[in-house]
Structures are given as C-alpha cells and as structure tokens.
Amino acid sequence: MTTQNEWPLWEVFVRAKAGLDHKHCGSLHAADSKMAIQLARDVYTRRQEGTSVWVVRSDQIVASDPGDKGMFFDPMEDKVYRHPTFYQLPESVNHM
Amino acid sequence: MYTQAMDTMAREPGDGPKAVRSAEEALLEERFEARIDDGDFIEAKDWMPEHYRKTLVRQISQHAHSEIVGMLPEGNWVTRAPTLKRKAILLAKIQDEGGHGLYLYAAAETLGTSRDQLLDALHTGKAKYSSIFNYPTLNWADMGTIGWLVDGAAIMNQVPICRCSFAPYARAMIRICREESFHQRQGYDALLTMMQHGTEAQRAMVQDSVNRWWWPCLMMFGPPDDQSPNSAQSMRWGIKRVSNDELRQKFVDATVEQAKVLGVTLPDPDLKWNEARQHYDFGAIDWSEFWRVVGGDGPCNQERLGARVKAWEDGAWVREAALAHAAKNTPQQQAA
C-alpha cells in the first residue's frame, strides 16, 4: 500500500473568539492550503467554535524531542525565584 | 460510533504481547506501566509497547470506520425525510458522523499508520466496523430509533473513553461526546412527535422500529464479561474503563424509563425491575446472531462495504486532480 498519493497532512488551529489565542484542535488531509482552510471550517467549526482558523503543513512543524523532555525542561525546576510566591514580604505590602 | 463489541473483532495472530524482550525494552515498559498507573496520559511521540500501539490503531481505526459506514443507513432517508426541518437535522447529524470519523482517523494516524493503510484495511475487509450498521433502515422511524437507541448505546460506550490513557484518542472522544448528545435527543424528539401527534399507523411504525433495533443495540456492548478474554489488558492499560456487562446494564436501566415516556414497549418479556439488585433484569441475548453478523453474514454487510469501496474508487480521479492542481499552483518555495 503506497501513501504517495495521499493528500498532505495539515494541523488546524482555531481561535474560539476575539481576544483568545489560536489553539491546536486537530489535523486533516487536504491537497492545498485553500482546501485545508475550507475543510478545517467543515470539520472543526460546525457549531461556531471559531472566528479564525490557521492551517499549517504538519511536515513544517518543528517539535521538541519527547525523549529529551527531562534534559530540556527540568533545568527550570530549581529556579523557584522566578515565581512571585518565592518572595516573603511584610503582610502590609504583601499584595503588591 | 464506538461499541465495546469491536474489542472482539479483527485480531491477528501477531497482535498479542511479545514474550521476548531486551533489557532496555523491559525498562522502558516498566516506566510506561508506571505512567499508566499514575494516571498519566500517553502522547503520540512517547515510547509505548508495540502491543499497546497495535491495540489502539485497531480500536481507533475501527471506531473511525464505524462513523463513516454509519452515514450509510441514515443517508438512505435524506431524500425521504418528512419535513424540511427533519431533513436539515438529518443532514447535520450525518455530517457530524463524517466529522467524527475524521477526528478519529487523525488520532489513529498519530500512531504511525497512514490514512491510506487504514482505509485499505476497511476496504479489503481486514478491519471491521460496528455490526449495528449491517442492519437495514426500513422505515422513517428507524432514523429516530437510531438516534435514541443506537447513539444512546454509543454514548454509554464512548463516555468512558474520554479518559483513555492515549491522549489523542481521549481528546477526539471529548469532542465527539459533546456533539453526540444532539444525535440522541433529535432521535427521541422525532419518535416523540410520531407517538404524540401521529396516526395509529405512525405509532405502529415506531413500535416496529424499536422491536427491530432493541436486541442489536444490546449487542453493541459486546459479549458478556466472562467471554471477553481481551478486556483485562485493555482495562489494565486504561484503554477500556468499564466492563461490557456493566455498561449494558446501565443502558437498559436508563432506556426503560425513556420507553415509558415515549409510550412504546421493549420487545423482551423478561424485562422487569429487580428490587434486590436495584436494576432491571433482562432476557438472554442471542449471541449466535451477533457472531453471524460480525462474521459477515448480516442483512447488509456486502451492501455497506460495497458502497464504501465504490465511493473510494469513484472519487479517485477527484483526489488525483486536486493533487495535480495543487502541484501546479503551489509556488516553489525552495526556489526563493
């Protein structure tokens, strides 16, 4: 079974309403970008779930390696001073 | 349209867990099991045992096939819907089923099997779909009954999978379950209209429809627990969350009350409330019918698969033309 005739895969991002981020909601196959936008509307916003759609070819996404998750993200674990809760201030000014 | 009955279908000899493992693999598997035990979600690129991957590809793709094949019995009534309102509702529901199939194919593809491979397995008969769609839709009331009972049973089957350990499947299921509720309600509403405002003949049509669909719906939950040898591993891995018999009982208990409000009877003389169990008892299910239909000898097996294969083959030129058009119109980005 060859897959060379398969339409390329696209990732779909939908903005639910003005003021919110676009959020990844799934993927679909489409021959080109115009068709991908059209199909994204039909597949992912049948109930007005969106006001804007982005599509991007899946093979164009560069992702971090799940195998490197520890090495990549854990160095932030001991940097508690990056959080406001790290600092104990006098009660009278603690809500600044 | 997931049904636990699909757990029993289309297993291959090589699908079982591997006996011999390397030390490294054993360590990875130990870590994987620990994540499952902690209630962690597994994402597509995470390491997973081959048997877990195969089980999921099979289950998710058969679930997807069921959504797609499930459009056929309903499509049969689009042109004959009694009002414009019912026709619009039916079209919306069928479009949803198509959408659900696409969410699920996408989830299955994250496991490294291509869409073409998945479709090929359906078209060659290697993969199955829910047996319920091998029954014919003989009258308009069947559109209501499918919504009320078939989608009702599917919802019972599907809700627990929203907590499936494989995250892309769980995310697709959350979306599906949110949309599926409309399917059940529109079906009940269509039947209620016929029962309350219809003629004697229309009420008889509803009863006939319920009589035909009731038992196949109970079969959707799969064989009794003591005859479901593969359930334990799926439960252990958080792919399956509730047992077949437990879900079936839940469905019966919920449906009896709904049937009373509707004014129809359910075709089971043994159906009665059991005070001690606090559940409804029901009669014996004819599992020979279930296995016959799963095995390919249902009323519509050939017709359904034939329709899918024909649609795929007839659409080949469209798929090719769209690709050729895209190739011609896409600017060569590398050239820049």
Side-chain angles (χ1 to χ4, degrees), chain B residues 301-335:
Chain B
N301 294 53
Q302 288 183 5
E303 185 186 331
R304 300 290 185 238
L305 199 55
R308 283 315 311 155
V309 171
K310 183 176 186 307
W312 180 250
E313 288 173 354
D314 288 354
W317 72 270
V318 179
R319 295 192 298 277
E320 284 164 24
L323 268 187
H325 178 76
K328 204 168 81 180
N329 288 281
T330 305
Q332 293 299 314
Q333 293 171 343
Q334 288 86 345

Side-chain angles (χ1 to χ4, degrees), chain A residues 1-9 25 27-29 31-32 35 42-44 46-47 49 60 66 69, chain B residues 35 45-46 95-96 99-100 102-103 106 109 114-117 120 175 179 182 318-319 322-323 325-326:
Chain A
M1 192 71 216
T2 74
T3 59
Q4 60 191 13
N5 292 323
E6 233 175 45
W7 286 348
L9 193 65
C25 68
S27 46
L28 50 78
H29 289 274
D32 57 29
M35 186 194 278
D42 292 345
V43 177
Y44 292 105
R46 286 193 301 283
R47 290 173 176 77
E49 289 95 334
Q60 295 295 308
K69 198 167 65 182
Chain B
R35 289 186 65 190
K45 304 279 184 221
D46 295 345
Q95 194 191 15
D96 271 357
H100 296 176
L102 293 178
Y103 307 155
E109 286 171 78
S114 76
R115 179 78 60 95
D116 279 358
Q117 285 172 319
D120 188 59
R175 190 179 286 274
E179 298 182 351
F182 136 66
V318 179
R319 295 192 298 277
L323 268 187
H325 178 76

Side-chain angles (χ1 to χ4, degrees), chain B residues 38-238:
Chain B
D38 285 350
D40 246 10
F41 282 110
I42 308 299
E43 291 288 350
K45 304 279 184 221
D46 295 345
W47 186 91
M48 61 185 82
E50 217 29 55
H51 184 42
Y52 178 85
R53 184 186 301 274
K54 272 191 172 168
T55 302
L56 278 165
V57 169
R58 188 183 56 242
Q59 177 169 330
I60 301 171
S61 65
Q62 292 188 160
H63 187 168
H65 299 329
S66 304
E67 301 283 354
I68 300 299
V69 175
M71 295 196 283
L72 297 172
E74 296 185 310
N76 184 33
W77 282 91
V78 169
T79 58
R80 292 173 288 169
T83 64
L84 186 58
K85 173 183 138 186
R86 294 291 171 197
K87 186 185 293 215
I89 291 170
L90 186 58
L91 280 169
K93 179 178 188 298
I94 294 170
Q95 194 191 15
D96 271 357
E97 308 296 2
H100 296 176
L102 293 178
Y103 307 155
L104 291 163
Y105 280 131
E109 286 171 78
T110 65
L111 290 161
T113 308
S114 76
R115 179 78 60 95
D116 279 358
Q117 285 172 319
L118 298 172
L119 292 179
D120 188 59
L122 172 69
H123 296 160
T124 54
K126 209 175 116 206
K128 300 287 185 196
Y129 52 86
S130 174
S131 264
I132 196 80
F133 300 122
N134 288 319
Y135 290 86
T137 44
L138 302 178
N139 65 33
W140 166 252
D142 285 358
M143 293 304 95
T145 307
I146 285 180
W148 173 40
L149 294 181
V150 176
D151 287 306
I155 291 169
M156 290 260 171
N157 274 305
Q158 285 174 170
V159 167
I161 317 177
C162 294
R163 294 179 290 123
C164 174
S165 61
F166 185 59
Y169 192 25
R171 286 194 288 267
M173 287 317 302
I174 289 168
R175 190 179 286 274
I176 288 172
C177 286
R178 213 163 39 206
E179 298 182 351
E180 198 95 51
S181 168
F182 136 66
H183 297 181
Q184 189 183 21
R185 293 174 73 93
Q186 66 80 33
Y188 193 83
D189 177 73
L191 296 180
L192 200 60
T193 301
M194 279 190 276
M195 292 305 289
Q196 292 184 344
H197 308 290
T199 62
E200 194 51 50
Q202 286 168 328
R203 281 192 290 274
M205 189 195 287
V206 174
Q207 184 63 59
D208 166 65
S209 174
V210 170
N211 290 349
R212 281 182 288 109
W213 289 95
W214 175 248
W215 290 106
C217 281
L218 292 192
M219 295 174 198
M220 286 173 65
F221 297 91
D225 293 344
D226 55 12
Q227 292 164 41
S228 305
N230 300 310
S231 287
Q233 180 66 78
S234 281
M235 286 269 203
R236 165 98 192 75
W237 272 339

Side-chain angles (χ1 to χ4, degrees), chain B residues 14-21 25 29 50-51:
Chain B
D15 280 4
K18 256 194 309 179
V20 187
R21 295 172 305 172
E25 216 172 305
E29 197 156 330
E50 217 29 55
H51 184 42

